Amino acid sequence: MANITDVAHEAGVSLATVSRVISGQTSVRPETRDRVLKAIQKLNYQPNALARQLRTQETKTAIVIVPNIQNALTHEVVFGIESAAESHGYQVLVADMRSQPSIESHYLNAIQQRQVDGIISMSASMTQKLIQQVADQYPLVMAVQDFESCNIPCVSIDNAAASRTAMLHLIRMGHRNIAHITASTSLLLYRERYNSYCQTLEEHGLPVTPELIRHGEASFEGGYAQAEALLASGKAFTAIFAAGDTMAIGAIKALKKHGVRVPQDCAVVGFDDIELAAFWDPALTTIRQPKTQIGQVAFRKLLTLMKKEPLLSMHDILPHELIIRESCGYVLE
């Protein structure tokens, strides 16, 4: 089996030059690089990844921690991370927390053991204090979440502003009794959307009615159950603002079951613009997140940290967009 010395001899260059070509450094002249690559191909040389890791203290691997791999939002963000990672010679491992915070602790420990070079976390179920402790020592970026009050690098949209956009659309359409279905507000992004819901109602002199606020699982089943609870409460409502598209779609199914027409009897607005949102019946009005872009920006931010270079910004806030479809139509001017 050929080794790096054989490649250097075949190409007529030093061991250091072969090493620079293998590691992708740009300081090698093109003609020299071609000779080395041809020698590698001719000798069928396979670089020893473990030996390279021991020399450089790099694994060329990053972990992406997701709260639940079944969440439709997750797929497009991870796709963005993987596309950016591949272009820089990194591989990505996806760790599914399955809604168990202890699993996230396990993967954060992996970076402390130098099993990976960095972590992108899409989950915020762990204490902010613990995440901050890891981020102070190792490359870590939060994606989708935004911790403005601490020094953790984040990539997200402005959840409060996006929720306000959705609520203002409903209010402009004449809705006064607006329900809210959401997941646990112990999770930051749901807390931000809930707080914005309440604040927007108060700013427009509308009541915040506890019976019209329901918490449950961020899933189709969760949205269905929350809509059933709203209907069972006996409180009148003409619109639902859901903190996620899966919950919104589940709610529409429950409303239809009880003969409530969407949007004629009850308008529904979601959040995230997952792929199914455009194909549901009726198609879902929702807040669009630039999901793939969030993933790409998060990895580039992580790469900067892994290279021990300074970040241009700690918090990257990307734009959101209100996508108006049949479940909640246009405002009549």
Side-chain angles (χ1 to χ4, degrees):
M1 182 178 294
N3 57 37
I4 193 171
T5 302
D6 298 326
V7 173
H9 184 267
E10 176 69 24
V13 299
S14 66
L15 292 175
T17 297
V18 176
S19 180
R20 286 198 294 271
V21 171
I22 292 172
S23 62
Q25 296 183 33
T26 59
S27 58
V28 182
R29 291 183 297 176
E31 58 271 22
T32 303
R33 182 184 304 277
D34 289 343
R35 291 209 313 274
V36 172
L37 293 176
K38 288 178 181 177
I40 289 174
Q41 184 177 17
K42 178 180 178 180
L43 298 174
N44 194 28
Y45 170 62
Q46 303 293 324
N48 189 316
L50 178 59
R52 183 170 65 250
Q53 177 183 336
L54 293 173
R55 290 196 308 272
T56 65
Q57 295 297 300
E58 290 183 341
T59 66
K60 287 290 186 180
T61 302
I63 281 183
V64 180
I65 300 175
V66 301
N68 189 331
I69 198 66
Q70 295 180 334
N71 187 308
L73 169 69
T74 298
H75 302 157
E76 290 188 56
V77 178
V78 170
F79 174 78
I81 293 170
E82 289 180 330
S83 64
E86 183 179 353
S87 67
H88 289 90
Y90 277 78
Q91 63 178 341
V92 173
L93 302 178
V94 178
D96 183 8
M97 266 183 57
R98 301 189 297 278
S99 302
Q100 300 178 44
S102 60
I103 297 178
E104 188 168 17
S105 300
H106 169 75
Y107 286 113
L108 289 176
N109 183 62
I111 192 172
Q112 296 171 327
Q113 302 298 321
R114 303 308 299 172
Q115 297 171 15
V116 296
D117 296 336
I119 286 180
I120 296 175
S121 178
M122 295 172 61
S123 168
S125 60
M126 290 185 63
T127 65
Q128 190 169 311
K129 180 179 179 182
L130 176 56
I131 294 176
Q132 182 70 69
Q133 288 174 347
V134 176
D136 286 342
Q137 301 178 61
Y138 304 99
L140 183 148
V141 172
M142 298 295 298
V144 182
Q145 312 282 342
D146 178 25
F147 292 139
E148 290 184 344
S149 61
C150 65
N151 204 34
I152 299 173
C154 305
V155 182
S156 71
I157 64 169
D158 186 332
N159 281 285
S163 298
R164 179 179 173 81
T165 298
M167 287 295 294
L168 287 177
H169 181 67
L170 288 169
I171 291 171
R172 290 190 187 112
M173 293 191 70
H175 295 286
R176 296 295 178 264
N177 297 307
I178 304 172
H180 183 46
I181 59 176
T182 185
S184 172
T185 53
S186 64
L187 298 178
L188 178 64
L189 67 87
Y190 293 116
R191 185 164 67 250
E192 289 178 329
R193 296 172 191 179
Y194 165 77
N195 288 341
S196 183
Y197 160 82
C198 295
Q199 183 178 353
T200 306
L201 287 176
E202 291 169 351
E203 288 174 351
H204 289 78
L206 301 176
V208 177
T209 307
E211 292 87 350
L212 295 185
I213 301 169
R214 298 289 166 171
H215 303 271
E217 292 185 3
S219 64
F220 298 112
E221 294 83 358
Y224 186 95
Q226 291 172 69
E228 291 255 278
L230 285 173
L231 293 167
S233 73
K235 284 288 183 179
F237 59 93
T238 62
I240 295 175
F241 168 46
D245 283 350
T246 54
M247 289 181 281
I249 290 170
I252 291 174
K253 187 173 181 63
L255 293 172
K256 284 184 174 183
K257 172 190 171 184
H258 289 273
V260 179
R261 299 172 300 166
V262 179
Q264 295 92 334
D265 302 324
C266 180
V268 178
V269 175
F271 205 112
D272 293 333
D273 194 29
I274 63 175
E275 185 177 8
L276 184 59
F279 296 96
W280 195 248
D281 182 23
L284 183 64
T285 294
T286 184
I287 295 292
R288 174 177 291 168
Q289 296 202 57
K291 299 175 282 296
T292 300
Q293 186 183 4
I294 287 174
Q296 293 169 336
V297 173
F299 182 80
R300 289 197 291 267
K301 188 177 286 288
L302 181 67
L303 184 63
T304 299
L305 293 174
M306 292 188 295
K307 290 182 176 180
K308 303 187 186 305
E309 297 174 353
L311 292 173
L312 296 178
S313 66
M314 291 297 293
H315 304 275
D316 286 20
I317 306 300
L318 303 185
H320 65 271
E321 182 182 2
L322 176 65
I323 305 299
I324 300 175
R325 300 192 180 103
E326 288 86 353
S327 73
C328 180
Y330 290 89
V331 178
L332 295 177
E333 299 295 343

